[in-house]
Amino acid sequence: MKKAFTLLSAVAAALTFAISGCGGDKDASSAANEPITLKLGHIQSEQDLWQLGSLKFKEELEKLSNGNIKVEIYPNSTLGADRDLAEGMKMGTVDFALIAGVLGNFDKSISILELPYLFRNHDEYVKIVDGPIGAEIAGNVLKTSGIRILNFWDRGPRHVTANKAIVSPKDITGLKIRVPEIPAMVDTWKAMGATPTPMAWSEVYTGLQQHTIDAQENPIPFIYGGRIQEVQSHISLTAHKYEYVTLSMSDRKFNKLSKEQQDWVIQAAKVATEYENSLVINETDKLLNEMIEKNGLIVDQPDIEAFAELAVKAHQPYAKSVGLEDLLNRINKELGR
């Protein structure tokens, strides 16, 4: 039922809305009656599957709210790199973001998911992130950072690209491979014999072009969206990490929404997650084939067990260094190892 405003209350409401447009806060009690605009940032291009998933989230949230909530999407690191997006959500200046490993800088427990070859297949990955351990990790992140993980989005396995064939660990000895600024990944790639080089994603294309780095590793849709196939000739299907990205929200912003608006956000996030996950399944092979046919990308089949054997040697030392031995052991037990 619409609330009948007096002239005075209408003026007050208009002033509140004007202030909110400049970054002011609203009480949850009045939020349901005022249109609001929320910002969603990510580091990928407009051609990437992340953008399509973001658009689905926008579409669904605007539909559920009957236009009460508008979502503005900022791709291409427009609102900053991963760390900037996370800090923005913590402070409440960014409302939503697609982020992953950077969350380990705020809560160590999620960093355990960054260990290469922790999961050997997609089913193992889903069992953990969509199960009680994943919920526990999300709760830890919320408590320590004020960032609310709405859902884990699948991204598919990460593979290595380079300008040579990579089929065994000897092929990466001393290789300058770009990795995200995630200690778990740095430690594991060192254990496999490479020279991991942390670098922001926005610098990777140029770094490969100018030979500042020799290789990089990412899921196929990410490789395609970043046009890596233009500057790398080989992809080695190492499947060293079954990858996720979180659709996260500033908890400060979440708590300023009405209960109804919160429910809309949660429901829209669920729909967008299902959509994104289906896109990854349906598009990954198609994107790989396009890079093969259009760009001449060469596919190499590596000895995965040889890589995994070296990688696993770094797991316990890393977990011990950050106090996550119990969590790692519980994950391995859950996976029957």
Side-chain angles (χ1 to χ4, degrees):
M1 181 179 294
K2 293 184 178 179
K3 184 177 179 180
F5 288 119
T6 64
L7 177 60
L8 183 59
S9 63
V11 171
L15 286 172
T16 302
F17 173 66
I19 293 170
S20 70
C22 298
D25 296 331
K26 295 174 282 296
D27 294 333
S29 60
S30 64
N33 297 312
E34 300 171 1
I36 58 174
T37 299
L38 302 176
K39 297 178 180 179
L40 188 161
H42 65 80
I43 64 172
Q44 265 293 5
S45 71
E46 291 93 334
Q47 289 73 45
D48 191 76
L49 299 187
W50 285 17
Q51 177 73 358
L52 297 180
S54 299
L55 289 169
K56 173 59 74 172
F57 176 69
K58 167 186 169 69
E59 173 190 329
E60 192 66 20
L61 185 51
E62 292 181 355
K63 181 175 71 175
L64 287 168
S65 67
N66 196 28
N68 179 272
I69 299 175
K70 300 290 187 183
V71 178
E72 293 179 349
I73 300 171
Y74 296 84
N76 285 314
S77 303
T78 309
L79 297 182
D82 284 338
R83 185 62 182 255
D84 303 310
L85 293 170
E87 292 285 1
M89 285 190 290
K90 185 176 180 180
M91 294 185 294
T93 56
V94 173
D95 304 311
F96 302 101
L98 300 176
I99 54 174
V102 69
L103 289 169
N105 293 308
F106 301 93
D107 188 89
K108 293 296 182 184
S109 66
I110 199 169
S111 71
I112 208 75
L113 302 178
E114 304 301 328
L115 290 168
Y117 292 110
L118 177 65
F119 307 121
R120 304 302 175 85
N121 55 56
H122 182 261
D123 288 344
E124 288 190 350
Y125 153 81
V126 169
K127 186 174 185 178
I128 297 303
V129 300
D130 288 344
I133 291 177
E136 176 187 327
I137 289 172
N140 292 340
V141 170
L142 176 60
K143 188 183 302 182
T144 57
S145 69
I147 296 172
R148 177 178 291 267
I149 295 176
L150 297 172
N151 289 97
F152 289 91
W153 285 8
D154 292 353
R155 292 175 60 194
R158 292 177 85 102
H159 304 298
V160 175
T161 66
N163 286 319
K164 68 174 186 176
I166 293 175
V167 295
S168 73
K170 67 179 177 61
D171 297 320
I172 64 168
T173 301
L175 190 76
K176 290 186 293 183
I177 182 169
R178 178 270 174 181
V179 297
E181 298 178 53
I182 299 171
M185 294 186 71
V186 172
D187 290 356
T188 308
W189 278 103
K190 283 181 180 177
M192 288 190 282
T195 302
T197 307
M199 179 182 290
W201 173 245
S202 58
E203 301 170 8
V204 172
Y205 185 95
T206 303
L208 292 168
Q209 195 175 43
Q210 297 178 350
H211 305 293
T212 306
I213 48 176
D214 305 315
Q216 68 84 49
E217 47 78 58
N218 263 301
I220 285 169
F222 218 77
I223 292 168
Y224 179 90
R227 300 173 18 246
I228 301 302
Q229 68 275 15
E230 296 177 0
V231 289
Q232 299 262 263
S233 59
H234 287 252
I235 181 169
S236 179
L237 302 182
T238 50
H240 54 274
K241 187 167 175 286
Y242 281 81
E243 189 70 324
Y244 71 93
V245 69
T246 70
L247 171 57
S248 290
M249 183 177 188
S250 166
D251 196 50
R252 295 177 70 171
K253 182 65 69 172
F254 184 82
N255 289 325
K256 289 174 182 175
L257 300 179
S258 69
K259 176 62 168 62
E260 183 179 36
Q261 289 173 325
Q262 291 175 351
D263 289 343
W264 292 334
V265 167
I266 292 168
Q267 189 174 341
K270 181 180 179 183
V271 170
T273 300
E274 292 171 353
Y275 174 76
E276 173 72 15
N277 291 353
S278 68
L279 274 181
V280 170
I281 293 171
N282 296 329
E283 295 295 320
T284 294
D285 287 346
K286 186 188 302 182
L287 296 177
L288 178 58
N289 288 333
E290 182 177 331
M291 290 188 288
I292 293 168
E293 295 171 6
K294 183 177 178 180
N295 303 98
L297 191 67
I298 299 168
V299 178
D300 300 311
Q301 300 290 344
D303 181 353
I304 288 178
E305 287 306 312
F307 283 98
E309 184 178 347
L310 292 173
V312 168
K313 292 179 180 179
H315 289 188
Q316 284 291 347
Y318 173 77
K320 184 177 181 179
S321 72
V322 292
L324 296 177
E325 290 172 285
D326 175 67
L327 180 57
L328 177 61
N329 291 338
R330 284 193 287 132
I331 289 173
N332 284 328
K333 183 178 179 180
E334 185 77 14
L335 297 177
R337 290 201 276 271

